[in-house]
Structures are given as structure tokens and as C-alpha cells.
Amino acid sequence: SQTLPPRDATWDVQVRRAGASALHQLGSKGDRNTVNLASTWLQDEDHQVRLLATRALGATGTTRADMSAVAQRLGDSDWRVRSAAVHALEGMAAGTRPNSVATVQGQASGPVGAEARCGTANSMASRASQSSSTRAKKAVGTAAAAELASCCEDPKLLGLPRVQAVAALGRVGWKCDSAAETCARKIGDVDAEVRRRAVEAVVDLAPQRSLP
């Protein structure tokens, strides 16, 4: 992504679309260098460029600022971009779900030498760094889930994006205290498909509220 220049508004729309497509592909591969570039493409006048930039940032963004930038696209003038923002927020939230992994601790027999102590110290430092990163990702995930809950209540989010937002909240709302209540309220929505998704979401969330 370092070879991709920042967006230039004077470029032909097809060139900008090609650049945004490349950005999206790199983001899908986990290239963190796409984050700063993606934010400059979110304001493009072409909906397809904004859509691809939203997907790229959703795939690689790990900070609250990234999440906020994606959330702003929920108010985009094009419903396809709004839909992409919903999916991006769901992805950000879904990446924080705890895994049921058993941790087995054992003790090595015999004296521990300097090399082993050094290895242990390095291992502890690595775990501390990973723990800090995990906490940060969980915080972003929680914020993303809360943003989904908020957008479900937004009367300006209409049609398919609203249906998708309610369905997404049912899948990742276990991190948001208001998710179940939000979905329950959407059972009374004017859109029949939103009502159906809301019922499914409430059912899905019911057994998950006990998760840490």
C-alpha cells in the first residue's frame, strides 16, 4: 500500500475507482498501511470509491478513530455505502469475541538457568503486550457494537442497511448492554423484514448475555 498515493480529486473517476479497489484488496489481506490512506478516500464524490474505502478501513482499522470514521459512513448519501459501513462495524465488533481456549500451565522440573529465565521474561513481556492489544481491540469492538445499536434507532437509516444493522446487532450485540433492548424495540418497526430480523436477534442474544 506504500506505493499507492493519496487520493487526488482531479483524477478520472475510473482511476479513483481502480485505486480504491486496490486499497480494498490490500485491506482484505490485513495490510495495516491502508488505514491512513483509506481515510483520505472516504470523502470521494463517487459512491463506489467511498464504498471500497469503507470496506478497506473496516478490514484493517483497530482504533476508535478508525471505528468513528467508518460509523460516519452510516449517514452517507448512497445506501450501498451505508450498507458497507454496517458490515464494517460488524466486522470490527465480531473480532473481539472471547474464545473458549483452555490454558494449561505446567512447571519445568530441575533448576532454571539464566537462558530459561530470559526466555520467561521475554514471554511475559510478549503476553503483556498482547494483553494490552487485546484490551484495546475489545474496547473498539464494544464501541462498534454500541454504534450498531445506535444506528438501528436512527430514523434516517432506512431500507436494507437498517435490516442489515438489526441482523448484525443480533450477531455481535453480546458486547453491548443495550443491544437486546434495541432489538426488542425494532420488533415494532414499520418494515416487516426489520421486524423479522429483530425477533431473530432477540432470540440470538438471549443466551449470550452471560458471556464476559
Side-chain angles (χ1 to χ4, degrees):
S1 63
Q2 293 177 345
T3 59
L4 287 176
R7 179 187 67 93
D8 188 331
T10 64
W11 290 344
D12 178 85
V13 65
Q14 295 303 327
V15 174
R16 300 201 310 276
R17 287 183 176 183
S21 178
L23 194 67
H24 174 228
Q25 292 178 39
L26 289 168
S28 299
K29 295 178 181 178
D31 188 341
R32 281 285 301 160
N33 293 321
T34 62
V35 172
N36 291 334
L37 281 175
S39 62
T40 69
W41 293 74
L42 289 173
Q43 308 302 323
D44 195 273
E45 64 181 19
D46 181 68
H47 79 274
Q48 188 169 332
V49 172
R50 298 195 305 275
L51 184 153
L52 292 168
T54 299
R55 288 177 177 174
L57 188 55
T60 57
T62 58
T63 68
R64 284 181 178 269
D66 299 335
M67 187 278 296
S68 295
V70 169
Q72 288 179 2
R73 292 300 96 202
L74 291 169
D76 196 275
S77 59
D78 192 282
W79 71 268
R80 289 160 291 194
V81 179
R82 297 195 296 273
S83 176
V86 168
H87 286 301
L89 286 172
E90 180 182 3
M92 287 178 159
T96 67
R97 185 162 196 146
N99 295 318
S100 301
V101 179
T103 301
V104 179
Q105 296 180 338
Q107 288 186 328
S109 60
V112 179
E115 182 178 346
R117 287 197 297 272
C118 180
T120 300
N122 290 336
S123 178
M124 291 176 64
S126 177
R127 285 198 296 270
S129 176
Q130 291 176 356
S131 178
S132 176
S133 176
T134 298
R135 286 195 298 271
K137 288 180 180 180
K138 284 185 177 181
V140 172
T142 299
E147 191 63 47
L148 279 173
S150 177
C151 78
C152 285
E153 303 277 28
D154 187 350
K156 296 180 181 179
L157 190 71
L158 302 172
L160 182 59
R162 183 165 61 180
V163 172
Q164 293 170 329
V166 172
L169 191 58
R171 291 187 289 267
V172 299
W174 55 273
K175 287 292 292 182
C176 177
D177 291 336
S178 64
E181 292 79 5
T182 297
C183 291
R185 284 193 291 272
K186 301 316 292 180
I187 293 176
D189 196 271
V190 296
D191 189 314
E193 185 61 19
V194 171
R195 296 196 299 270
R196 185 176 76 83
R197 295 292 186 172
V199 170
E200 293 175 351
V202 169
V203 173
D204 289 341
L205 287 170
Q208 300 181 33
R209 295 305 303 157
S210 60
L211 287 175

